[in-house]
Amino acid sequence: MSEAEQIHLSEVISHGEPNIVLDAMGGDNAPDEVILGGLMAAPSIKGDLILVGQQEVIEASLNRVGTGAPRPQNVKIFHASQVIEMGEKPLDAYRKKKDSSMLVGCRLVKEGKAKAFVSAGSTGAASATSLLTWRQVQGIHRPAIGSQLPNMHGGFLLLDSGASPDVDPEHLVEFAIMGRAYAEAVMGRKNPKVHLVNIGEEEGKGNAFAKQAYKLLQQHEWFAGNIEGKDMFNSSCDVVVCEAFVGNTILKTAEGVAEMFAKMIRSGVPTNKLLQTMYWPLKKVMKPIRKHMDYAEVGGSPLLGLNGTCIIAHGRSNSKAIMNAVLMADKAIRSELVDHIREAVHRDLPQNFEEPQNG
């Protein structure tokens, strides 16, 4: 693509509007499922939906998945010649692929042409690219991925579920503050409480890391103590914090258990049509349960703590998941999530923390 064509594409994007960038090349099912999900979400967002990636690939996909319907007027294309593959090392990809769909998308946010970036590509690459492009909110040392999980009381936010595996106990206070800001602004929780993942409820449980994190969190009135893994899904909780190694393990275990139960239930239904009628009442019971357990209903997970909104979708996302990830980004924009996090950090973060080095 020529420089003139690239400038033309840039000019069709409204500067300063609540536009959302969608990485059309990211994910196991890209580009078709990603673009279809974007088309499904576009009529519900206020600004433009900017599809970033190889223009010829995006155009061909639009022709395949558009099903003859008129393209929403707020869907735009911005060309990026390179693609970051799932197996690439995040920092290498950031340094070597300067025209990747991820880096170009994050630049559009930094330049004010968009307010949020959504990708189902490599979680590590999306995290590293957005971090290095936007930098942290002042006072935040480590970003955190927040994942909304279902429970018996309306769900909760688990963080960190994958962004920062090597952290200090002090960073869990940052995660708690960001998680509370998200729970208030996006989930609609009033004065959300924070729990710490541990092997027991009592104070003094856990390893040295957990004990120190408990001591630091205990200084805040919103801290509700330790919580065990089983209780997250049965008790009422708003925000649950832990380091990314633990959080990602919890997330993947929950996904695996949900899939296992779904398969067990399906395998238990007889193939005989007459006998299947006995299970019709069960279908009515299972429908809302299946909806709560379906990752596509949430769509994606926000990467919190940066000077921009990044929603990371599951690598195997289908069109429904992508649609909901875009709508999550739109909700984060409308609720001014980044500003809420800045205000929360300024209000709650202990002043003896060193400021992050952004240079």
Side-chain angles (χ1 to χ4, degrees):
M1 173 164 289
S2 70
E3 184 178 351
E5 289 174 308
Q6 181 76 14
I7 291 172
H8 173 70
L9 288 172
S10 178
E11 288 174 346
V12 302
I13 299 170
S14 303
H15 190 93
E17 290 297 316
N19 303 326
I20 298 172
V21 177
L22 176 59
D23 177 9
M25 315 304 292
D28 298 339
N29 299 313
D32 286 3
E33 286 291 310
V34 173
I35 290 174
L36 178 58
L39 293 176
M40 292 162 62
S44 299
I45 67 174
K46 184 177 179 181
D48 291 338
L49 180 70
I50 307 168
L51 302 174
V52 174
Q54 297 167 343
Q55 185 180 18
E56 65 278 8
V57 174
I58 295 174
E59 291 284 8
S61 179
L62 283 167
N63 292 331
R64 286 194 298 270
V65 305
T67 62
R71 186 187 306 177
Q73 291 186 348
N74 64 334
V75 173
K76 306 293 172 63
I77 300 173
F78 197 96
H79 179 69
S81 63
Q82 297 174 307
V83 178
I84 295 178
E85 305 295 341
M86 284 291 190
E88 292 187 66
K89 293 182 179 179
L91 290 179
D92 287 346
Y94 173 81
R95 295 187 183 110
K96 296 177 181 178
K97 293 189 172 180
K98 297 299 185 183
D99 199 43
S100 71
S101 56
M102 281 190 186
L103 184 51
V104 170
C106 287
R107 282 195 198 122
L108 289 174
V109 175
K110 184 177 181 180
E111 293 167 2
K113 295 185 175 70
K115 297 289 187 181
F117 173 69
V118 178
S119 178
S122 163
T123 297
S127 300
T129 301
S130 54
L131 169 63
L132 292 170
T133 306
W134 305 336
R135 300 298 182 177
Q136 303 103 306
V137 167
Q138 187 175 20
I140 294 295
H141 294 74
R142 299 285 189 276
I145 295 175
S147 296
Q148 288 184 231
L149 295 177
N151 66 9
M152 298 298 294
H153 299 271
F156 65 98
L157 185 72
L158 174 73
L159 71 166
D160 181 15
S161 62
S164 302
D166 298 310
V167 295
D168 297 325
E170 289 83 358
H171 298 139
L172 266 63
V173 179
E174 299 177 13
F175 296 170
I177 292 168
M178 294 190 294
R180 291 189 76 243
Y182 183 88
E184 287 178 331
V186 180
M187 297 171 68
R189 301 290 172 88
K190 293 184 179 180
N191 190 27
K193 301 298 182 182
V194 177
H195 287 83
L196 171 67
V197 174
N198 211 327
I199 58 173
E201 295 180 2
E202 303 85 2
E203 182 179 355
K205 286 284 188 177
N207 55 17
F209 180 94
K211 292 176 182 177
Q212 181 61 19
Y214 186 101
K215 182 178 179 180
L216 294 169
L217 288 164
Q218 195 178 32
Q219 299 174 21
H220 299 271
E221 53 85 20
W222 38 254
F223 180 55
N226 292 324
I227 192 168
E228 297 182 30
K230 60 181 177 60
D231 292 327
M232 291 187 293
F233 300 96
N234 294 308
S235 303
S236 177
C237 55
D238 299 309
V239 177
V240 176
V241 296
C242 56
E243 64 270 40
F245 183 89
V246 173
N248 195 258
T249 300
I250 292 171
L251 183 64
K252 297 295 175 60
T253 301
E255 288 178 358
V257 171
E259 290 175 1
M260 179 190 71
F261 274 111
K263 290 177 182 177
M264 290 173 66
I265 292 169
R266 284 195 296 268
S267 65
V269 177
T271 56
N272 183 285
K273 297 294 183 182
L274 181 61
L275 292 177
Q276 283 182 3
T277 60
M278 300 171 57
Y279 286 80
W280 286 349
L282 182 61
K283 290 180 68 175
K284 292 183 179 180
V285 175
M286 290 302 299
K287 188 174 181 180
I289 296 175
R290 185 166 58 246
K291 183 176 181 179
H292 284 300
M293 296 172 68
D294 185 4
Y295 76 92
E297 290 290 337
V298 176
S301 299
L303 180 62
L304 304 176
L306 303 181
N307 291 303
T309 297
C310 176
I311 305 296
I312 299 174
H314 203 296
R316 61 180 182 180
S317 289
N318 56 21
S319 58
K320 180 182 179 182
I322 295 296
M323 175 190 72
N324 284 321
V326 173
L327 295 179
M328 175 184 283
D330 182 63
K331 190 172 184 179
I333 293 169
R334 287 187 284 107
S335 63
E336 300 179 329
L337 174 61
V338 175
D339 287 337
H340 274 282
I341 290 176
R342 289 194 184 105
E343 292 168 6
V345 169
H346 180 74
R347 180 182 65 242
D348 291 345
L349 196 63
Q351 296 303 307
N352 59 345
F353 279 16
E354 295 179 2
E355 296 299 333
Q357 298 299 313
N358 291 339

